[in-house]
Amino acid sequence: MFKRQKGKIKSLCPAFLRKSNSLPLEKEGKPHSIHRLLLLLILAFYSAASVFRLANSPIIRHSDSDSEIKTHFSNIALHARREKPSRASLPCSALINGETDETNSGDGVLCCDRSHYRTDLCYMRGDIRTEPASNPANIFLYGAQQEAVTEKIKPYTRKFEEGIMNSIEEVTINPNILLANQTAADMCDVVHDVPAIVFSTGGYTGNLYHEFSDGLIPLYITSKRFEKEVVFVVLEYHRWWGVKYQGILEQMTNYPVVDFREDRRVHCFKEMIVGMKIHGELIIDPQLMPGGHSIKDFHSLLHHGLTSEADSQFDEIEPMQKITKAEPLLPSSHCLNTSMTNITTNSTRNLKIVLFIRKKTRVLQNVKEVVKTCHRFGFSVQILNAKMGTPLETIYEALASADVMVAVHGAAMTHFLMMQPGSLLIQIVPLGLDWAAENFYGEPARRLGLEYMEYKVKTEESSLSKDYEPDDPVLVDPSVVTKKGWWEMKKVYMDNQNVKVDVRRFGRLLQEAHAHVMQSRCNRQVTGDAAKA
């Protein structure tokens, strides 16, 4: 590097270098000092020029209006992405979260927070107008700040997954420093006095897990601070989605949903968030929520959204009593004197299991034997084959009265969100899906307050044992496959595997489940008796 710089300097002033190099060191004087000073100035100038070229090269991209650098690696180069500052010189997230009401001036506010792994969000305040039937979707902010620039955003919470994000409709936010009355007559067909949240129901919508994890729960997280005084503006809207989740949506907004693509009217707002916040897989982190709300609050919302007004008396009963209000209980003295291991299948009756079954992949191939085993250990069984058209109210009603839910790993496991706190969730975990089972359902279930157990399928219980040799890594070391990434794991273990559980081993788990449920009931009864005393 030094030699190349020296060569370039020499070509710029060869005579000077020849002269300076000919001076002996022991005779260094004032003329020589001047020459050395000039040389240093030239070197400094060349260094500054090099830094300037580097800063403007494709390797690093920057914006003069940016404040906080966010970087990530790609296959091509190192890119820099910064969170745009707000009017109040606070992170954009403070405006999105409602942590500041700073206005400073009448100018419209536009900022975007692109610092998150899973989602991007943009915030606007001012004269905001939708452009109906535009392609791509356009939103205009009039009277914007001088430094505001056009922003493009895909309001879906799987930013990290390039393939699915390519299918999400993009929103273009167009700031205009002119006031609306300087460019056009009043064109608002609908004027809203409350904020809006813009999001997409494209992507994986149609899969129950993603409808909650990527959609409804992030929507709750983002909208909670508005306490229902907010309008939902939806891209790629599906009518069936609106019908299916109408009761839940009505618990989050007091206003009809706006279909961005089909609604031909110009909607005008004073405040808008484009995109949704997300905390993780089926998770609401109280530390990130204003007011400390958690997944238990979302569960309460589901209860109000999925039960009829005729069940309003249900609201006055504590969650732990809801499960057993119609069930006979053992006397408290029996509970106090009986250990879990001594509670037998003959001590009670009418404990209920809801068993979800699958029809395509990860099928439970010996359902009848499993049901008989449940009966043997004191459980009545309700089998559910949940389909897209199955009303959520029907499923909620079944789970609200259940002591235990059993399902093979898959989207139907998401229904645990409708169980009563203190109930027991049993997940049948096929070969190779330990990580997904724990992270997608195990941990979230415990956060909800459920008891959680796993039945881990052994090699001989998996249909894969017929497709691979006994010493194949697929069977003996699933980590070899899972290390290749999600899609390889999905292809092998999710799309091409069925299970046939060992009913004797499953029975031992049911025995433990029965003892746990009975002890939980006894504990609640003792607590209830103590409260009455």
Side-chain angles (χ1 to χ4, degrees), residues 312-330:
S312 58
Q313 70 274 12
F314 200 62
D315 298 343
E316 304 303 321
I317 304 172
E318 290 300 318
M320 295 304 168
Q321 295 175 321
K322 294 176 183 177
I323 304 170
T324 58
K325 63 176 184 177
E327 300 284 345
L329 294 173
L330 294 173

Side-chain angles (χ1 to χ4, degrees), residues 405-422:
M405 171 181 151
V406 178
V408 179
H409 175 82
M413 284 288 299
T414 311
H415 290 112
F416 80 80
L417 290 168
M418 302 174 193
M419 298 181 73
Q420 298 304 309

Side-chain angles (χ1 to χ4, degrees), residues 228-243:
K228 299 179 68 174
E229 288 299 304
V230 62
V231 174
F232 296 152
V233 181
V234 185
L235 284 84
E236 302 174 80
Y237 177 77
H238 306 281
R239 292 177 184 241
W240 63 261
W241 180 87
V243 172

Side-chain angles (χ1 to χ4, degrees), residues 45-86:
F45 176 81
Y46 180 75
S47 299
S50 299
V51 171
F52 180 81
R53 285 196 301 272
L54 178 61
N56 287 275
S57 72
I59 297 176
I60 299 179
R61 300 176 184 177
H62 68 283
S63 170
D64 293 335
S65 62
D66 295 335
S67 60
E68 182 180 346
I69 297 179
K70 307 286 183 182
T71 62
H72 69 274
F73 286 95
S74 69
N75 294 330
I76 301 174
L78 175 66
H79 299 274
R81 180 56 186 159
R82 306 173 186 180
E83 182 179 334
K84 292 185 177 298
S86 71

Side-chain angles (χ1 to χ4, degrees), residues 362 433 481 485-496:
R362 281 158 281 142
L433 297 179
V481 178
W486 171 260
W487 293 110
E488 186 66 20
M489 181 188 75
K490 181 178 183 296
K491 181 178 70 175
V492 175
Y493 295 117
M494 298 185 74
D495 297 344
N496 293 287

Side-chain angles (χ1 to χ4, degrees), residues 209-264:
Y209 172 82
H210 291 287
E211 286 167 10
F212 275 87
S213 187
D214 301 334
L216 292 172
I217 292 178
L219 184 59
Y220 173 83
I221 291 170
T222 311
S223 67
K224 179 58 181 172
R225 75 176 181 92
F226 297 113
E227 297 296 345
K228 299 179 68 174
E229 288 299 304
V230 62
V231 174
F232 296 152
V233 181
V234 185
L235 284 84
E236 302 174 80
Y237 177 77
H238 306 281
R239 292 177 184 241
W240 63 261
W241 180 87
V243 172
K244 180 177 181 178
Y245 294 112
Q246 179 178 351
I248 298 173
L249 293 171
E250 288 175 351
Q251 299 301 313
M252 290 192 270
T253 177
N254 290 323
Y255 305 91
V257 170
V258 175
D259 182 345
F260 193 102
R261 179 60 61 205
E262 295 299 323
D263 194 323
R264 304 289 174 171

